[in-house]
Amino acid sequence: MKKESKWALGALIAAGAGYLAGILTAPRSGKRTRKKISSSASKARVDGEKQLKQLYSELQNLIKESETRVKKSKIKVDEEFKKQLENSKKTKQKVKMIISAIHSGEATDPDLKDMLEEAKKAKSNLSTFLKK
């Protein structure tokens, strides 16, 4: 993991912990605090779902573009590119499954976070190969 990524992840975790501590020590009743936490968690889940849908769409477009380039290419396609294309297709399917799980209430926050990271990585990898 790059230094910047580690730093950003650490800052995000610290911000979340600070936010949670602030909510829990605020002068509200327990019922209001729990409602606020629940509302924040729901909002985070909706935001994560929106990001996943956006990444799904972007991956779908990149995959189509890649497949078009492969078909039009008269030179041999790099094996690494083919591997990235297949990995991106698998990731796209996983994203679709997680989005369905979110709607049915079966997905957990760690599932959502992991899938966001995996989809971002697949998009980045495929974009890099397309630029070559």
Side-chain angles (χ1 to χ4, degrees), residues 53-116:
K53 285 180 179 179
Q54 178 68 31
L55 285 167
Y56 179 84
S57 177
E58 291 171 1
L59 265 176
Q60 190 170 13
N61 292 335
L62 285 170
I63 289 168
K64 283 180 184 177
E65 182 180 347
S66 299
E67 288 174 333
T68 301
R69 283 193 185 182
V70 167
K71 287 177 184 175
K72 289 182 178 179
S73 176
K74 295 188 181 194
I75 56 175
K76 186 177 178 183
V77 177
D78 186 350
E79 287 300 316
E80 186 64 26
F81 179 76
K82 286 181 184 177
K83 182 179 173 185
Q84 287 302 326
L85 182 58
E86 287 305 312
N87 287 342
S88 295
K89 287 178 181 180
K90 289 176 186 175
T91 300
K92 186 182 100 170
Q93 286 304 110
K94 288 180 186 177
V95 168
K96 188 175 183 179
M97 288 178 6
I98 290 291
I99 290 171
S100 295
I102 290 170
H103 286 290
S104 66
E106 297 172 5
T108 64
D109 289 340
D111 293 336
L112 183 59
K113 289 177 186 175
D114 291 346
M115 196 69 258
L116 279 169

